[in-house]
Amino acid sequence: PRGYLELEKLVKAEAQVRVPPVVSWDEYTTLAKLCKIGKDHLVLASTLLHNLGSLVYYSDYDKLKDIVILDPQWLISLMATVMSTKHSFAKDGILKETALAQIWRPPTYPPSLFPFILALLVKFEIAVGIQSIPGFASTTAPFLAAQLPMIMPTRHETKLPASVDLTDT
């Protein structure tokens, strides 16, 4: 439909002027209204644009469905920040939330998006949230990050207790 094409053009234009190229679902709904796409067709249109590579949207994942990434390249760059070996913030495969501000800096990665970014990393199985691990005296929940060249740290490499199940997210 014509409205879908208009939305795609509008998404590309918005991606060029927004830093980061991310909008809330409510803002995205407003953009869709400009293209005469109602709420009843918006998820379908968004899924189509996602499948075409024009934007990134996950309607089936509760922690991600409230945000739309207008430029898929932003997501690729985000993944590169975690998979990079240029920094050493993930010690023994553990990336603490306190290090996130060192890795992701505004305006490209504002702190308000950190929960969304962490949910993306968990969805793509790049990171696994670790909750209440005995022996960690941290006030923030650390994340197990799979960094190159290490794909998934072993229990020995991360010094995790045997009771921690790494297969559950």
Side-chain angles (χ1 to χ4, degrees), residues 93-104:
I94 303 293
L95 175 64
K96 292 191 177 184
E97 284 187 74
T98 53
L100 299 182
Q102 300 299 316
I103 298 169
W104 302 318

Side-chain angles (χ1 to χ4, degrees), residues 132-146:
S132 306
I133 297 175
F136 278 91
S138 174
T139 57
T140 59
F143 277 77
L144 182 66

Side-chain angles (χ1 to χ4, degrees), residues 19-21 74 77-78 81-82 86-89 97-114 117:
V19 178
W74 181 85
S77 298
L78 168 69
T81 65
V82 177
K86 292 180 182 177
H87 59 73
S88 59
F89 296 111
E97 284 187 74
T98 53
L100 299 182
Q102 300 299 316
I103 298 169
W104 302 318
R105 297 176 189 248
T108 306
Y109 306 109
S112 61
L113 284 180
F114 288 2
I117 291 170

